[in-house]
Amino acid sequence: MSNETKLLLPDLARQIAEVATLEGEFVLRSGQVSDRYFDKYSFEGLPHILRPLAQAMSALLPSDTEIIAGLELGGVPLVTAMSLETGLPAAFVRKEPKSYGTCRAIEGQDLTGRKVVFVEDVISTGGAVADALQLATQEGADVRAVICAIWRGEGAPAIHAAPELPVCPVFTRSDLEAPFGDQARQMERQ
């Protein structure tokens, strides 16, 4: 990642936190309950956030990546923006094969024998990534890593069902919670 990109990350984290952080009680895909939720659709639909986020995510791609594959649904706008940024072809991974047309689970590219990197939005435990890994492996893909916008899980980023798969986040939950801590400290001083 370039020094210029690194300098922009705190501002990007603040922007994402401002538009995407919801407070309340939320059940996550993993079944966990959280009092804070990062609404990916709030930031993925804003070009002034999506563009620099795609640049930051693209900087994390292994140099031998041949195809980037976005997981349904939040990974699709991210992988599309990253494809435009890098010139790499994009594939789109469904949660399950569709029941009509091609009846495929992975659309857009043939992954057989190709070095693939998954693109995901927010990961807590990686259940969706593990499911996609199984589908991609069945299609002959060589999945090298997963790049995500936000790691909201506990501890070091890792997919519980695929611990050998590197997980490279742009931001962690604490990166996005920092702007809220700063706001609270400022309010306490007033």
Coordinates of all heavy atoms in Angstrom, one line a residue, residues 68-164:
I68 N -10.4 -11.5 -9.5 CA -11.0 -11.2 -8.2 C -12.5 -11.5 -8.2 O -13.2 -11.3 -9.2 CB -10.8 -9.7 -7.9 CG1 -11.2 -8.8 -9.1 CG2 -9.3 -9.4 -7.5 CD1 -11.0 -7.3 -8.8
A69 N -12.9 -12.1 -7.1 CA -14.3 -12.7 -7.1 C -15.1 -12.1 -5.9 O -14.7 -12.3 -4.7 CB -14.2 -14.2 -7.0
G70 N -16.1 -11.3 -6.2 CA -16.9 -10.7 -5.2 C -18.0 -11.6 -4.7 O -18.7 -12.3 -5.5
L71 N -18.2 -11.7 -3.4 CA -19.2 -12.5 -2.8 C -20.6 -11.8 -2.8 O -20.6 -10.6 -2.4 CB -18.8 -13.0 -1.4 CG -17.9 -14.2 -1.3 CD1 -16.6 -14.0 -2.1 CD2 -17.6 -14.6 0.1
E72 N -21.6 -12.5 -3.1 CA -23.0 -11.9 -3.1 C -23.3 -11.4 -1.7 O -23.1 -12.1 -0.7 CB -24.0 -13.0 -3.5 CG -25.4 -12.6 -3.6 CD -26.4 -13.7 -3.9 OE1 -25.9 -14.9 -4.2 OE2 -27.6 -13.4 -3.9
L73 N -23.9 -10.4 -1.5 CA -24.2 -9.3 -2.4 C -23.2 -8.1 -2.2 O -22.9 -7.4 -3.1 CB -25.6 -8.8 -2.1 CG -26.2 -7.7 -2.9 CD1 -26.2 -7.9 -4.4 CD2 -27.5 -7.3 -2.4
G74 N -22.8 -8.0 -1.0 CA -21.9 -6.8 -0.7 C -20.6 -6.8 -1.4 O -20.0 -5.7 -1.6
G75 N -20.1 -7.9 -1.7 CA -18.8 -8.0 -2.4 C -18.9 -7.6 -3.9 O -17.9 -7.3 -4.5
V76 N -20.1 -7.5 -4.4 CA -20.3 -7.3 -5.9 C -19.9 -5.8 -6.2 O -19.1 -5.6 -7.1 CB -21.7 -7.6 -6.3 CG1 -21.9 -7.2 -7.8 CG2 -21.9 -9.2 -6.3
P77 N -20.4 -4.8 -5.5 CA -20.0 -3.4 -5.9 C -18.5 -3.2 -5.6 O -17.8 -2.5 -6.4 CB -20.8 -2.5 -5.1 CG -21.5 -3.4 -4.0 CD -21.5 -4.8 -4.5
L78 N -18.0 -3.8 -4.6 CA -16.5 -3.7 -4.3 C -15.7 -4.3 -5.4 O -14.7 -3.7 -5.8 CB -16.2 -4.3 -2.9 CG -16.8 -3.6 -1.7 CD1 -16.7 -4.5 -0.5 CD2 -16.3 -2.2 -1.5
V79 N -16.0 -5.5 -5.8 CA -15.2 -6.2 -6.8 C -15.3 -5.5 -8.1 O -14.3 -5.4 -8.9 CB -15.5 -7.7 -6.9 CG1 -16.8 -8.0 -7.7 CG2 -14.3 -8.5 -7.5
T80 N -16.4 -4.9 -8.4 CA -16.6 -4.2 -9.7 C -15.7 -2.9 -9.7 O -15.0 -2.7 -10.7 CB -18.1 -3.8 -9.9 OG1 -18.9 -5.0 -9.9 CG2 -18.3 -3.0 -11.2
A81 N -15.7 -2.2 -8.6 CA -14.9 -1.0 -8.5 C -13.4 -1.4 -8.5 O -12.6 -0.7 -9.1 CB -15.2 -0.3 -7.2
M82 N -13.0 -2.5 -7.9 CA -11.6 -3.0 -7.9 C -11.2 -3.4 -9.3 O -10.1 -3.2 -9.7 CB -11.5 -4.1 -6.9 CG -11.5 -3.7 -5.4 SD -11.5 -5.1 -4.3 CE -9.8 -5.7 -4.5
S83 N -12.1 -4.1 -10.0 CA -11.8 -4.5 -11.4 C -11.5 -3.2 -12.2 O -10.6 -3.2 -13.0 CB -13.0 -5.3 -11.9 OG -12.8 -5.7 -13.3
L84 N -12.3 -2.2 -12.1 CA -12.1 -1.0 -12.8 C -10.8 -0.3 -12.4 O -10.0 0.2 -13.2 CB -13.2 0.0 -12.6 CG -14.6 -0.3 -13.2 CD1 -15.7 0.6 -12.7 CD2 -14.5 -0.2 -14.7
E85 N -10.4 -0.4 -11.1 CA -9.2 0.1 -10.6 C -7.9 -0.6 -11.1 O -6.9 0.0 -11.5 CB -9.2 0.1 -9.1 CG -8.0 0.6 -8.4 CD -7.8 2.1 -8.5 OE1 -8.7 2.9 -8.7 OE2 -6.6 2.5 -8.4
T86 N -8.0 -2.0 -11.1 CA -6.8 -2.8 -11.4 C -6.8 -3.3 -12.8 O -5.7 -3.8 -13.3 CB -6.8 -4.0 -10.5 OG1 -8.0 -4.8 -10.8 CG2 -6.8 -3.6 -9.0
G87 N -7.9 -3.4 -13.5 CA -7.9 -4.1 -14.8 C -8.1 -5.6 -14.8 O -8.1 -6.2 -15.8
L88 N -8.2 -6.1 -13.5 CA -8.3 -7.6 -13.4 C -9.8 -7.9 -13.7 O -10.7 -7.2 -13.3 CB -8.0 -8.0 -11.9 CG -6.5 -8.0 -11.6 CD1 -6.3 -8.1 -10.1 CD2 -5.8 -9.0 -12.3
P89 N -10.0 -9.1 -14.3 CA -11.4 -9.6 -14.5 C -12.1 -9.9 -13.2 O -11.4 -10.4 -12.2 CB -11.2 -10.8 -15.4 CG -9.8 -11.2 -15.3 CD -9.0 -10.0 -14.8
A90 N -13.4 -9.7 -13.1 CA -14.1 -9.9 -11.9 C -15.1 -11.1 -12.1 O -15.6 -11.3 -13.2 CB -15.0 -8.7 -11.5
A91 N -15.3 -11.9 -11.1 CA -16.3 -12.9 -11.0 C -17.2 -12.6 -9.9 O -16.9 -11.8 -9.0 CB -15.6 -14.3 -10.8
F92 N -18.4 -13.2 -9.9 CA -19.4 -13.0 -8.9 C -19.9 -14.3 -8.3 O -20.3 -15.1 -9.1 CB -20.6 -12.2 -9.6 CG -20.1 -11.0 -10.3 CD1 -19.9 -11.1 -11.7 CD2 -19.7 -9.8 -9.7 CE1 -19.4 -10.0 -12.4 CE2 -19.3 -8.7 -10.4 CZ -19.1 -8.8 -11.8
V93 N -19.7 -14.4 -7.0 CA -20.0 -15.7 -6.3 C -21.4 -15.6 -5.7 O -21.6 -14.8 -4.8 CB -18.9 -16.0 -5.3 CG1 -19.2 -17.4 -4.7 CG2 -17.5 -15.9 -5.9
R94 N -22.3 -16.4 -6.1 CA -23.6 -16.5 -5.5 C -23.5 -17.3 -4.3 O -22.6 -18.1 -4.1 CB -24.6 -17.2 -6.5 CG -24.8 -16.4 -7.8 CD -25.7 -17.3 -8.7 NE -26.0 -16.6 -9.9 CZ -27.0 -15.6 -10.0 NH1 -27.7 -15.3 -9.0 NH2 -27.2 -15.0 -11.2
K95 N -24.6 -17.2 -3.4 CA -24.7 -18.0 -2.2 C -24.9 -19.5 -2.6 O -24.6 -20.4 -1.8 CB -25.7 -17.4 -1.3 CG -25.3 -16.1 -0.7 CD -26.4 -15.5 0.1 CE -25.9 -14.1 0.6 NZ -26.9 -13.2 1.0
E96 N -25.6 -19.7 -3.7 CA -25.9 -21.0 -4.2 C -26.1 -20.9 -5.7 O -26.4 -19.9 -6.2 CB -27.1 -21.6 -3.4 CG -28.3 -20.8 -3.6 CD -29.5 -21.3 -2.8 OE1 -29.3 -21.6 -1.6 OE2 -30.6 -21.4 -3.3
P97 N -25.9 -22.0 -6.4 CA -26.2 -22.0 -7.8 C -27.6 -21.6 -8.1 O -28.5 -21.9 -7.4 CB -26.0 -23.5 -8.3 CG -25.1 -24.1 -7.2 CD -25.5 -23.4 -5.9
K98 N -27.7 -20.8 -9.2 CA -29.1 -20.4 -9.5 C -29.8 -21.5 -10.2 O -29.2 -22.5 -10.7 CB -29.1 -19.1 -10.4 CG -28.4 -19.3 -11.8 CD -28.5 -17.9 -12.5 CE -27.9 -18.1 -13.9 NZ -28.0 -16.9 -14.7
S99 N -31.1 -21.5 -10.2 CA -31.9 -22.7 -10.6 C -32.3 -22.5 -12.1 O -33.1 -23.3 -12.6 CB -33.1 -22.9 -9.8 OG -33.9 -21.7 -9.8
Y100 N -31.8 -21.6 -12.8 CA -32.2 -21.3 -14.2 C -31.0 -20.9 -15.0 O -29.9 -20.7 -14.4 CB -33.3 -20.3 -14.3 CG -32.9 -19.0 -13.7 CD1 -32.3 -18.0 -14.4 CD2 -33.1 -18.7 -12.3 CE1 -31.9 -16.8 -13.8 CE2 -32.7 -17.5 -11.7 CZ -32.1 -16.6 -12.5 OH -31.7 -15.4 -11.9
G101 N -31.1 -20.8 -16.3 CA -30.0 -20.3 -17.1 C -28.8 -21.2 -17.0 O -28.9 -22.4 -17.3
T102 N -27.7 -20.6 -16.6 CA -26.4 -21.4 -16.6 C -26.4 -22.4 -15.4 O -25.6 -23.3 -15.3 CB -25.2 -20.5 -16.5 OG1 -25.3 -19.7 -15.2 CG2 -25.1 -19.5 -17.7
C103 N -27.2 -22.1 -14.4 CA -27.3 -22.9 -13.2 C -25.9 -22.9 -12.4 O -25.6 -23.9 -11.8 CB -27.8 -24.4 -13.4 SG -29.4 -24.4 -14.1
R104 N -25.2 -21.9 -12.5 CA -23.9 -21.8 -11.9 C -23.9 -21.0 -10.6 O -24.8 -20.1 -10.4 CB -22.9 -21.1 -12.9 CG -22.7 -21.9 -14.2 CD -21.7 -21.2 -15.0 NE -20.4 -21.3 -14.3 CZ -19.4 -20.5 -14.7 NH1 -19.4 -19.7 -15.7 NH2 -18.2 -20.5 -14.0
A105 N -23.0 -21.3 -9.8 CA -22.8 -20.5 -8.5 C -21.8 -19.4 -8.7 O -21.9 -18.4 -8.0 CB -22.3 -21.4 -7.4
I106 N -20.9 -19.5 -9.7 CA -19.9 -18.4 -9.9 C -20.1 -18.0 -11.3 O -20.0 -18.8 -12.3 CB -18.5 -18.9 -9.6 CG1 -18.4 -19.4 -8.2 CG2 -17.5 -17.8 -9.9 CD1 -17.1 -20.0 -7.8
E107 N -20.3 -16.7 -11.5 CA -20.6 -16.1 -12.8 C -19.5 -15.2 -13.2 O -18.8 -14.6 -12.4 CB -21.9 -15.3 -12.7 CG -23.2 -16.0 -12.2 CD -23.8 -16.9 -13.3 OE1 -23.3 -16.9 -14.5 OE2 -24.8 -17.6 -13.0
G108 N -19.4 -15.0 -14.5 CA -18.5 -14.0 -15.1 C -17.2 -14.5 -15.6 O -16.7 -14.0 -16.6
Q109 N -16.6 -15.5 -14.9 CA -15.3 -16.0 -15.3 C -15.2 -17.5 -15.0 O -15.9 -18.0 -14.1 CB -14.2 -15.3 -14.5 CG -14.2 -13.8 -14.6 CD -14.0 -13.2 -16.0 OE1 -13.3 -13.7 -16.8 NE2 -14.8 -12.1 -16.2
D110 N -14.4 -18.1 -15.8 CA -14.1 -19.5 -15.5 C -12.9 -19.5 -14.6 O -11.8 -19.0 -14.9 CB -13.7 -20.3 -16.8 CG -13.3 -21.7 -16.6 OD1 -13.4 -22.2 -15.5 OD2 -12.9 -22.4 -17.6
L111 N -13.1 -20.1 -13.4 CA -12.0 -20.0 -12.3 C -11.1 -21.2 -12.4 O -10.1 -21.3 -11.7 CB -12.7 -20.0 -11.0 CG -13.6 -18.8 -10.7 CD1 -14.1 -18.9 -9.2 CD2 -13.1 -17.5 -11.1
T112 N -11.3 -22.2 -13.3 CA -10.5 -23.4 -13.3 C -9.1 -23.1 -13.4 O -8.6 -22.5 -14.4 CB -11.0 -24.3 -14.4 OG1 -12.4 -24.5 -14.3 CG2 -10.3 -25.7 -14.4
G113 N -8.3 -23.5 -12.4 CA -6.8 -23.4 -12.5 C -6.3 -22.0 -12.3 O -5.1 -21.7 -12.4
R114 N -7.2 -21.0 -12.0 CA -6.8 -19.6 -11.9 C -6.6 -19.2 -10.4 O -7.2 -19.8 -9.5 CB -7.9 -18.7 -12.5 CG -8.4 -19.1 -13.9 CD -7.3 -18.8 -15.0 NE -6.9 -17.4 -15.1 CZ -7.6 -16.6 -15.9 NH1 -8.7 -17.0 -16.6 NH2 -7.2 -15.3 -16.0
K115 N -5.7 -18.2 -10.3 CA -5.4 -17.7 -8.9 C -6.4 -16.6 -8.6 O -6.4 -15.6 -9.3 CB -4.0 -17.1 -8.9 CG -2.9 -18.2 -9.1 CD -1.5 -17.7 -9.3 CE -0.6 -18.8 -9.5 NZ 0.4 -18.5 -10.5
V116 N -7.2 -16.9 -7.6 CA -8.4 -16.1 -7.3 C -8.3 -15.5 -5.9 O -7.8 -16.1 -5.0 CB -9.7 -17.0 -7.4 CG1 -10.9 -16.2 -7.0 CG2 -9.9 -17.6 -8.8
V117 N -8.7 -14.2 -5.8 CA -8.8 -13.6 -4.5 C -10.3 -13.2 -4.3 O -10.9 -12.6 -5.2 CB -7.9 -12.4 -4.4 CG1 -8.1 -11.6 -3.1 CG2 -6.4 -12.8 -4.5
F118 N -10.8 -13.6 -3.2 CA -12.2 -13.2 -2.8 C -12.2 -11.8 -2.3 O -11.3 -11.3 -1.7 CB -12.8 -14.1 -1.7 CG -13.2 -15.5 -2.2 CD1 -13.2 -16.5 -1.2 CD2 -13.5 -15.8 -3.5 CE1 -13.6 -17.8 -1.6 CE2 -13.9 -17.0 -3.8 CZ -13.9 -18.1 -2.9
V119 N -13.3 -11.1 -2.6 CA -13.6 -9.8 -2.2 C -14.9 -9.8 -1.4 O -15.9 -10.2 -1.9 CB -13.7 -8.8 -3.4 CG1 -14.0 -7.4 -2.9 CG2 -12.4 -8.7 -4.1
E120 N -14.8 -9.3 -0.1 CA -16.0 -9.3 0.7 C -16.1 -7.9 1.4 O -15.1 -7.2 1.5 CB -15.8 -10.4 1.8 CG -17.0 -10.6 2.7 CD -18.3 -11.0 2.1 OE1 -18.8 -10.2 1.2 OE2 -18.9 -12.0 2.4
D121 N -17.2 -7.6 1.9 CA -17.5 -6.3 2.5 C -17.1 -6.4 4.0 O -16.1 -5.8 4.4 CB -18.9 -5.9 2.3 CG -19.9 -6.9 2.6 OD1 -19.6 -7.9 3.3 OD2 -21.0 -6.9 2.1
V122 N -17.9 -7.0 4.8 CA -17.7 -7.0 6.3 C -17.7 -8.5 6.7 O -18.6 -9.3 6.3 CB -18.9 -6.3 7.0 CG1 -18.7 -6.3 8.5 CG2 -19.0 -4.9 6.5
I123 N -16.6 -8.9 7.4 CA -16.5 -10.3 7.9 C -16.4 -10.3 9.4 O -15.7 -9.5 10.0 CB -15.2 -10.9 7.3 CG1 -15.2 -10.9 5.8 CG2 -15.1 -12.3 7.9 CD1 -14.0 -11.5 5.2
S124 N -17.3 -11.2 10.0 CA -17.2 -11.4 11.5 C -16.5 -12.7 11.8 O -15.6 -12.8 12.5 CB -18.6 -11.4 12.1 OG -19.2 -10.1 12.0
T125 N -17.0 -13.8 11.2 CA -16.5 -15.1 11.4 C -16.0 -15.7 10.0 O -15.2 -16.7 10.0 CB -17.4 -16.1 12.1 OG1 -18.6 -16.2 11.2 CG2 -17.9 -15.5 13.4
G126 N -16.6 -15.3 9.0 CA -16.2 -15.8 7.6 C -17.0 -16.9 7.1 O -16.6 -17.6 6.2
G127 N -18.2 -17.1 7.6 CA -19.1 -18.2 7.2 C -19.4 -18.1 5.7 O -19.4 -19.1 5.0
A128 N -19.7 -16.9 5.2 CA -20.0 -16.7 3.7 C -18.7 -17.0 2.9 O -18.8 -17.6 1.8 CB -20.5 -15.3 3.5
V129 N -17.6 -16.6 3.4 CA -16.3 -16.9 2.7 C -16.1 -18.4 2.7 O -15.7 -19.0 1.6 CB -15.1 -16.2 3.4 CG1 -13.8 -16.6 2.8 CG2 -15.3 -14.7 3.3
A130 N -16.3 -19.1 3.8 CA -16.1 -20.6 3.8 C -17.0 -21.3 2.8 O -16.6 -22.2 2.1 CB -16.4 -21.1 5.2
D131 N -18.3 -20.8 2.7 CA -19.2 -21.3 1.7 C -18.7 -21.1 0.3 O -18.8 -22.0 -0.5 CB -20.6 -20.7 1.9 CG -21.3 -21.1 3.2 OD1 -20.8 -22.1 3.9 OD2 -22.3 -20.5 3.6
A132 N -18.3 -19.9 0.0 CA -17.8 -19.5 -1.3 C -16.5 -20.3 -1.6 O -16.3 -20.7 -2.8 CB -17.5 -18.0 -1.4
L133 N -15.7 -20.5 -0.7 CA -14.5 -21.3 -0.9 C -14.8 -22.7 -1.4 O -14.2 -23.2 -2.3 CB -13.6 -21.3 0.4 CG -12.3 -22.1 0.3 CD1 -11.4 -21.4 -0.7 CD2 -11.6 -22.1 1.7
Q134 N -15.8 -23.3 -0.7 CA -16.2 -24.6 -1.1 C -16.7 -24.6 -2.6 O -16.3 -25.5 -3.4 CB -17.3 -25.2 -0.2 CG -17.7 -26.6 -0.5 CD -18.8 -27.1 0.5 OE1 -19.4 -26.3 1.2 NE2 -19.0 -28.4 0.4
L135 N -17.5 -23.6 -3.0 CA -18.0 -23.5 -4.3 C -16.9 -23.3 -5.3 O -16.8 -23.9 -6.4 CB -19.0 -22.4 -4.4 CG -20.4 -22.6 -3.7 CD1 -21.1 -21.3 -3.7 CD2 -21.2 -23.7 -4.3
A136 N -16.0 -22.4 -5.0 CA -14.9 -22.1 -5.9 C -13.9 -23.3 -6.1 O -13.4 -23.5 -7.2 CB -14.1 -20.8 -5.4
T137 N -13.7 -24.0 -5.0 CA -12.8 -25.1 -5.0 C -13.4 -26.2 -5.9 O -12.7 -26.9 -6.7 CB -12.5 -25.7 -3.6 OG1 -11.9 -24.6 -2.9 CG2 -11.6 -26.9 -3.6
Q138 N -14.7 -26.4 -5.8 CA -15.4 -27.4 -6.7 C -15.3 -27.0 -8.2 O -15.3 -27.9 -9.0 CB -16.9 -27.4 -6.3 CG -17.1 -28.1 -5.0 CD -18.6 -28.0 -4.5 OE1 -19.4 -27.3 -5.1 NE2 -18.9 -28.6 -3.4
E139 N -15.1 -25.7 -8.4 CA -14.9 -25.3 -9.8 C -13.5 -25.2 -10.2 O -13.1 -24.7 -11.3 CB -15.6 -23.9 -10.0 CG -17.1 -24.0 -10.0 CD -17.8 -22.9 -10.7 OE1 -17.2 -22.1 -11.4 OE2 -19.0 -22.7 -10.4
G140 N -12.6 -25.7 -9.4 CA -11.2 -25.8 -9.7 C -10.3 -24.5 -9.5 O -9.2 -24.4 -10.0
A141 N -10.9 -23.6 -8.7 CA -10.1 -22.3 -8.4 C -9.0 -22.5 -7.4 O -9.1 -23.4 -6.5 CB -11.1 -21.3 -7.9
D142 N -8.0 -21.7 -7.5 CA -6.9 -21.7 -6.6 C -7.1 -20.4 -5.8 O -6.6 -19.3 -6.2 CB -5.6 -21.7 -7.3 CG -4.4 -21.6 -6.4 OD1 -4.5 -21.7 -5.1 OD2 -3.2 -21.5 -6.9
V143 N -7.9 -20.5 -4.7 CA -8.2 -19.3 -3.9 C -7.0 -19.0 -3.0 O -6.6 -19.8 -2.2 CB -9.5 -19.5 -3.1 CG1 -9.8 -18.2 -2.3 CG2 -10.6 -19.8 -4.1
R144 N -6.5 -17.7 -3.2 CA -5.2 -17.3 -2.5 C -5.4 -16.5 -1.3 O -4.6 -16.6 -0.3 CB -4.3 -16.5 -3.5 CG -3.9 -17.3 -4.7 CD -2.9 -18.4 -4.2 NE -2.4 -19.2 -5.3 CZ -1.2 -19.1 -5.8 NH1 -0.4 -18.1 -5.4 NH2 -0.8 -19.9 -6.7
A145 N -6.5 -15.7 -1.2 CA -6.7 -14.8 -0.1 C -8.1 -14.3 -0.2 O -8.8 -14.5 -1.2 CB -5.7 -13.7 -0.1
V146 N -8.5 -13.6 0.9 CA -9.7 -12.8 0.9 C -9.4 -11.4 1.3 O -8.7 -11.2 2.3 CB -10.9 -13.4 1.7 CG1 -10.5 -13.6 3.2 CG2 -12.1 -12.6 1.6
I147 N -9.8 -10.4 0.6 CA -9.7 -9.0 0.9 C -11.0 -8.5 1.3 O -12.0 -8.7 0.7 CB -9.2 -8.2 -0.3 CG1 -8.0 -8.8 -1.0 CG2 -9.0 -6.7 0.0 CD1 -6.7 -8.7 -0.2
C148 N -11.1 -7.8 2.5 CA -12.4 -7.3 3.0 C -12.2 -5.8 3.3 O -11.1 -5.4 3.7 CB -12.9 -8.1 4.1 SG -12.0 -8.1 5.7
A149 N -13.3 -5.1 3.3 CA -13.3 -3.7 3.7 C -13.2 -3.6 5.2 O -12.4 -2.8 5.7 CB -14.6 -3.1 3.2
I150 N -14.0 -4.5 5.9 CA -14.0 -4.4 7.4 C -13.9 -5.7 8.0 O -14.7 -6.6 7.7 CB -15.3 -3.7 7.9 CG1 -15.4 -2.3 7.2 CG2 -15.3 -3.6 9.4 CD1 -16.8 -1.6 7.4
W151 N -13.0 -5.9 8.9 CA -12.9 -7.1 9.7 C -13.6 -6.7 11.1 O -13.0 -5.9 11.8 CB -11.5 -7.6 10.0 CG -11.4 -8.6 11.0 CD1 -11.0 -8.4 12.3 CD2 -11.8 -10.0 11.0 NE1 -11.1 -9.6 13.0 CE2 -11.6 -10.6 12.2 CE3 -12.3 -10.8 9.9 CZ2 -11.8 -11.9 12.5 CZ3 -12.6 -12.1 10.2 CH2 -12.3 -12.7 11.4
R152 N -14.7 -7.3 11.3 CA -15.4 -6.9 12.6 C -15.4 -8.0 13.6 O -15.9 -8.0 14.7 CB -16.9 -6.5 12.3 CG -17.8 -7.6 11.9 CD -19.3 -7.2 12.1 NE -19.6 -7.2 13.5 CZ -20.1 -6.2 14.1 NH1 -20.4 -5.1 13.6 NH2 -20.4 -6.3 15.4
G153 N -14.6 -9.1 13.3 CA -14.5 -10.2 14.2 C -13.6 -10.0 15.3 O -12.9 -8.9 15.4
E154 N -13.5 -11.0 16.2 CA -12.7 -10.9 17.4 C -11.2 -11.4 17.0 O -11.1 -12.3 16.2 CB -13.2 -11.9 18.5 CG -14.6 -11.4 19.0 CD -14.6 -10.1 19.7 OE1 -13.5 -9.8 20.4 OE2 -15.6 -9.4 19.6
G155 N -10.2 -10.8 17.5 CA -8.9 -11.2 17.3 C -8.4 -11.0 15.9 O -8.9 -10.2 15.2
A156 N -7.3 -11.7 15.6 CA -6.7 -11.5 14.3 C -7.6 -12.0 13.2 O -8.3 -13.0 13.4 CB -5.4 -12.3 14.2
P157 N -7.7 -11.3 12.0 CA -8.5 -11.7 10.9 C -8.2 -13.2 10.5 O -7.1 -13.5 10.2 CB -8.2 -10.7 9.8 CG -7.7 -9.6 10.5 CD -6.9 -10.1 11.7
A158 N -9.3 -14.0 10.5 CA -9.1 -15.4 10.1 C -10.5 -16.0 9.8 O -11.5 -15.6 10.5 CB -8.4 -16.2 11.1
I159 N -10.6 -16.9 8.9 CA -11.8 -17.6 8.6 C -11.8 -18.9 9.4 O -10.9 -19.8 9.2 CB -12.0 -17.9 7.1 CG1 -11.8 -16.6 6.3 CG2 -13.3 -18.7 6.8 CD1 -12.8 -15.5 6.6
H160 N -12.7 -19.1 10.4 CA -12.7 -20.2 11.3 C -12.7 -21.5 10.5 O -11.9 -22.4 10.9 CB -13.8 -20.1 12.3 CG -13.8 -18.9 13.1 ND1 -12.8 -18.6 14.0 CD2 -14.7 -17.9 13.2 CE1 -13.1 -17.5 14.6 NE2 -14.2 -17.0 14.2
A161 N -13.5 -21.6 9.5 CA -13.6 -22.9 8.7 C -12.5 -23.1 7.7 O -12.4 -24.1 7.0 CB -14.9 -23.0 8.0
A162 N -11.6 -22.0 7.5 CA -10.5 -22.1 6.5 C -9.3 -21.3 7.1 O -9.0 -20.3 6.5 CB -11.0 -21.6 5.2
P163 N -8.7 -21.7 8.2 CA -7.7 -20.9 8.8 C -6.4 -20.7 8.0 O -5.7 -19.8 8.3 CB -7.4 -21.7 10.1 CG -7.9 -23.1 9.8 CD -9.0 -23.0 8.9
E164 N -6.2 -21.5 7.0 CA -5.1 -21.3 6.1 C -5.3 -20.2 5.1 O -4.3 -19.8 4.4 CB -4.8 -22.7 5.4 CG -5.7 -23.1 4.3 CD -7.1 -23.6 4.8 OE1 -7.3 -23.8 6.0 OE2 -8.0 -23.7 3.9

